[in-house]
Amino acid sequence: MKIKFNTLLVALISFFTLVSCHDDLNQTPIDPDSTTEEDVFANASQAKGALAKLYASLALTGQQGPAGQPDISGIDEGFSQFSRMLFNLNELTTDQAIVGWGDPGLPDLHGLSWSSGNDFTEAMYYRLAQEVSFTNSFISNAELLADEEVNQFIAEARFLRAFAYYNLMDLYGNVPLTTEISTELPQQASREEIFNFVEEELLEIEDQLADSGANEYGRVDRVAAWALLSRLYLNAESFIGTPRYNDAVTYSEKVINSSYSINTTDANGNGSAYDELFLADNNTNGAQKEFIFTLNFDGIQSQTFGGTTFLVHAAVGGTMNPAEFGINGGWAGNRTTKSFVNKFVKTNAELNASIGPVSDWGIIGNSTPNGWADPDTDMYEASPNVFKIFTELTEGELKFRKNDDWSVSFGGENGNLIPDGDNIIVETTGRVVITLNLNNNTYTIQSIYESLPDARAMFYTDGQTLEINDVSTFEDGFAVTKFRNIDSNGNPGSDSTGDFVDTDLPVIRLAEIYLNYAEATLRGGGGNASRAVNLINELRERAYGNNSANITSGDLDLQFVLDERSRELYWEGLRRTDLIRYEQFTTNQYLWPFKGGVKDGVSAPTYRRLFPIPNDLLTINPNLTQNDGY
């Protein structure tokens, strides 16, 4: 069942230490007269309510929802919710997302040009620091209860604290390490010390957590600890300079051999089980079999302008119909770049080589690569009298010619060829596949993105351009349709107003661990290469609906795994970390539109691999040192 995080929790969290945007050492109870620590921890049943607050603090932002009575004062509740910040810092800074809004500091994220006072990097730090504070307080109080059930609650709280510290280490590097409530100014720990703490915590609690799949939906079990260790070890060389790929393989195997399984249920009958993972009933439609750690959302009981409410609303705009996404309107903000879209298709040269031999027919015109000048752009013979080409078209006109000779040419309109007819007006631009069929004298010009065989390619293209010329224009860049507030039967979520979303957000799911295993194996982790291929093919068979896109061991290399992670896990909060691990985040080894604030992309200083420590904390605590470059 879902844990419902509602306003009944107000009385249960009055004792928690709060983290203020202006003074993170303030320890102010929300309502000091409402209840006491003794009331909250009177027994296991009461303690469970306080545990719910720890989970809720990653999904929600305060005691009222969607705003009012915030847990952290001084920052906007809507934009400061944890997973919304995770998207902003780990996706918006990459090739997978770009936003059209101009809120101060927001465009700087995609441009890799944020300052040390950026509101969004500060908001994430405070949100994670709050989770550490809440978990520390819970653990210290719950330890006073000699109860076996409460011991499991404590293990869950320690997991959530380790998860918060994992993200602090990933995003900010060297941060204070505190495991108890204190008025002393904390010392700054090294990244390696934080790494060691997260590792030790997860290893200590794995046997104290519930068995695989034995906990309530939305609460973690020991597989979550193994999965986070898999992620931790995969990034160890990037984080602390020490490879731990053998350990990454070991803990990935533990997860893979657990009770969790890849969802293959196509509940809505659309031929794909992938989209079930991101629908409003993903807690019951079969997707939950794959979810190891989720943030739970309910359009009635847990309202927030972050979470999946943000992911759904912000991705809808242009000519998109909000009702198809189970909402009352789009916010017209987030899209993606052509660098990510093109992860789902081969290059034009590769696609053309797969058609057949070069033919005598070609295309010419100001919309074609060679313009009106000779030679024509050659087409390829797909079958007798049928010719195709994958190419790029711009606005303009074209004709078909044989042997670069005007004596045999075709114009046409509405898909019908006309010998020596008028020029064909090009209405479909960008990457296209053009077919010339001389058996029935027809032609087609089709965007190659309209019918991609990979079900994970969830894009809206009508009225959207692949190319981004103006970041502030929603129609520049393809829209992403991955997250929806409709169930497997097409029904909207529980909030009849269409404001808030039911879709749960997988923070860790089994597919990631499959890919962790494959990558760690390739990096020398001692895994089985054949098994790595089989695991990836399991994901690809779900994506394609058959084995037509299966790979062999010869296809499996590190770049392929990185691209497959992009195709499988986009907009799930992992991309920045992946690119850093592959040395592609700040370098010119991989450029994407508006990386570094330049249309074609430029490299950025290496210090951008970390975000700055909030300036307010540096003022308050002289023990802290700012990250290099800020």
Side-chain angles (χ1 to χ4, degrees):
M1 67 182 233
K2 277 194 182 184
I3 301 175
K4 301 297 186 184
F5 306 127
N6 58 35
T7 53
L8 294 177
L9 292 172
V10 174
L12 297 174
I13 50 76
S14 62
F15 64 91
F16 279 116
T17 301
L18 300 185
V19 183
S20 166
C21 183
H22 304 293
D23 184 351
D24 77 321
L25 297 178
N26 283 350
Q27 299 183 21
T28 307
I30 293 173
D31 183 4
D33 298 322
S34 64
T35 191
T36 66
E37 296 177 24
E38 289 78 10
D39 294 328
V40 172
F41 289 97
N43 53 53
S45 178
Q46 295 295 321
K48 185 178 180 181
L51 175 68
K53 175 60 183 179
L54 304 185
Y55 286 98
S57 294
L58 293 175
L60 307 178
T61 56
Q63 311 314 309
Q64 179 172 299
Q69 299 185 31
D71 287 340
I72 303 175
S73 62
I75 57 176
D76 181 87
E77 283 194 65
F79 83 62
S80 67
Q81 185 268 339
F82 164 71
S83 64
R84 180 168 176 172
M85 287 301 94
L86 190 66
F87 177 90
N88 284 345
L89 301 193
N90 259 6
E91 301 289 348
L92 195 55
T93 54
T94 75
D95 59 330
Q96 292 192 345
I98 194 165
V99 67
W101 303 330
D103 308 60
L106 189 58
D108 298 338
L109 296 179
H110 193 81
L112 304 185
S113 59
W114 53 83
S115 71
S116 59
N118 183 279
D119 287 345
F120 298 91
T121 64
E122 288 187 348
M124 182 57 140
Y125 187 99
Y126 292 126
R127 192 61 64 189
L128 291 168
Q130 169 196 265
E131 183 71 358
V132 170
S133 180
F134 282 5
T135 52
N136 282 343
S137 185
F138 177 91
I139 293 166
S140 65
N141 283 280
E143 285 175 338
L144 301 176
L145 283 173
D147 184 282
E148 184 175 347
E149 185 180 15
V150 173
N151 289 339
Q152 182 181 312
F153 296 166
I154 294 171
E156 292 178 48
R158 290 174 70 183
F159 171 88
L160 294 172
R161 182 173 63 184
F163 177 74
Y165 268 118
Y166 171 90
N167 283 282
L168 284 164
M169 170 185 60
D170 179 15
L171 297 167
Y172 303 96
N174 307 328
V175 297
L177 177 58
T178 60
T179 58
E180 57 186 26
I181 300 300
S182 172
T183 57
E184 297 294 324
L185 292 173
Q187 297 293 322
Q188 192 166 15
S190 69
R191 209 176 194 189
E192 185 170 6
E193 289 172 321
I194 302 297
F195 182 99
N196 292 338
F197 171 77
V198 172
E199 178 187 22
E200 291 166 4
E201 283 287 282
L202 295 173
L203 292 174
E204 285 182 16
I205 65 173
E206 59 177 315
D207 292 332
Q208 300 168 28
L209 292 165
D211 290 336
S212 175
N215 215 342
E216 295 174 283
Y217 174 80
R219 290 173 58 191
V220 297
D221 57 28
R222 64 189 55 176
V223 180
W226 299 337
L228 188 54
L229 282 166
S230 167
R231 186 185 289 184
L232 179 75
Y233 291 137
L234 184 67
N235 287 287
E237 187 170 20
S238 174
F239 287 160
I240 61 173
T242 303
R244 298 288 298 273
Y245 299 115
N246 284 320
D247 293 320
V249 166
T250 296
Y251 280 89
S252 295
E253 284 183 321
K254 283 177 173 284
V255 176
I256 293 166
N257 295 333
S258 73
S259 64
Y260 290 85
S261 61
I262 295 298
N263 175 50
T264 56
T265 304
D266 178 21
N268 61 12
N270 70 348
S272 167
Y274 183 78
D275 71 331
E276 304 287 331
L277 301 171
F278 313 103
L279 297 180
D281 59 346
N282 59 354
N283 62 312
T284 59
N285 66 11
Q288 74 277 9
K289 299 180 298 183
E290 186 172 333
F291 294 169
I292 297 170
F293 179 33
T294 64
L295 300 185
N296 295 349
F297 296 98
D298 184 289
I300 302 298
Q301 300 292 339
S302 54
Q303 297 182 347
T304 174
F305 289 117
T308 47
T309 291
F310 160 74
L311 288 176
V312 177
H313 280 273
V316 175
T319 63
M320 303 168 76
N321 181 2
E324 294 180 0
F325 295 83
I327 54 175
N328 57 12
W331 299 349
N334 296 330
R335 300 95 68 203
T336 193
T337 75
K338 68 176 181 181
S339 295
F340 171 61
V341 174
N342 286 335
K343 293 285 187 292
F344 290 94
V345 292
K346 296 179 180 179
T347 65
N348 289 336
E350 290 172 321
L351 291 170
N352 286 329
S354 68
I355 296 172
V358 176
S359 74
D360 295 333
W361 284 91
I363 55 174
I364 188 170
N366 60 1
S367 70
T368 69
N370 292 343
W372 287 112
D374 294 336
D376 297 352
T377 302
D378 290 330
M379 302 185 75
Y380 299 79
E381 187 172 7
S383 60
N385 294 318
V386 178
F387 309 93
K388 297 177 68 173
I389 183 174
F390 291 88
T391 190
E392 303 267 352
L393 293 183
T394 58
E395 290 185 359
E397 301 172 334
L398 66 77
K399 274 193 167 183
F400 297 98
R401 288 202 309 179
K402 187 176 182 180
N403 292 322
D404 301 336
D405 187 347
W406 283 114
S407 66
V408 184
S409 68
F410 285 99
E413 61 181 355
N414 299 324
N416 297 308
L417 294 171
I418 302 173
D420 198 28
D422 291 340
N423 298 339
I424 296 169
I425 305 300
V426 173
E427 297 179 347
T428 303
T429 60
R431 287 192 76 180
V432 299
V433 55
I434 304 173
T435 302
L436 170 66
N437 189 335
L438 298 182
N439 292 314
N440 57 13
N441 288 330
T442 62
Y443 70 91
T444 60
I445 303 175
Q446 182 182 18
S447 168
I448 64 173
Y449 305 108
E450 290 178 358
S451 57
L452 288 171
D454 191 331
R456 299 170 299 186
M458 304 172 79
F459 305 119
Y460 184 90
T461 63
D462 183 27
Q464 305 290 133
T465 63
L466 179 65
E467 202 72 45
I468 299 174
N469 293 307
D470 184 351
V471 173
S472 66
T473 299
F474 182 82
E475 290 77 8
D476 278 21
F478 284 179
V480 171
T481 61
K482 182 170 179 174
F483 294 91
R484 295 174 183 256
N485 185 38
I486 57 172
D487 66 20
S488 301
N489 296 314
N491 301 311
S494 60
D495 177 18
S496 60
T497 70
D499 284 328
F500 301 103
V501 168
D502 287 348
T503 310
D504 294 340
L505 180 65
V507 178
I508 307 176
R509 59 184 177 92
L510 183 59
E512 176 199 343
I513 309 305
Y514 277 21
L515 292 158
N516 289 1
Y517 178 91
E519 183 179 334
T521 296
L522 287 170
R523 291 186 185 274
N528 184 287
S530 295
R531 189 180 193 190
V533 169
N534 291 338
L535 292 171
I536 287 180
N537 281 339
E538 187 177 343
L539 300 180
R540 292 179 69 80
E541 285 178 18
R542 173 172 67 179
Y544 284 81
N546 53 49
N547 63 4
S548 63
N550 281 16
I551 65 169
T552 66
S553 58
D555 300 313
L556 187 63
D557 58 26
L558 284 173
Q559 186 61 47
F560 179 89
V561 174
L562 178 61
D563 290 344
E564 192 68 8
R565 290 181 69 91
S566 184
R567 290 184 284 264
E568 178 71 29
L569 302 169
Y570 66 99
W571 283 30
E572 295 181 48
L574 296 168
R575 184 60 169 168
R576 167 191 154 274
T577 311
D578 288 348
L579 289 175
I580 290 173
R581 191 171 64 253
Y582 275 77
E583 297 289 338
Q584 295 184 21
F585 181 61
T586 56
T587 67
N588 61 9
Q589 181 181 344
Y590 177 45
L591 302 177
W592 55 84
F594 291 95
K595 176 180 180 177
V598 174
K599 182 179 178 181
D600 293 328
V602 293
S603 61
T606 57
Y607 72 81
R608 294 291 181 188
R609 295 175 182 177
L610 289 175
F611 295 105
I613 304 295
N615 286 331
D616 287 347
L617 296 187
L618 299 175
T619 301
I620 294 166
N621 187 354
N623 297 327
L624 304 183
T625 301
Q626 182 60 278
N627 288 328
D628 291 343
Y630 296 105

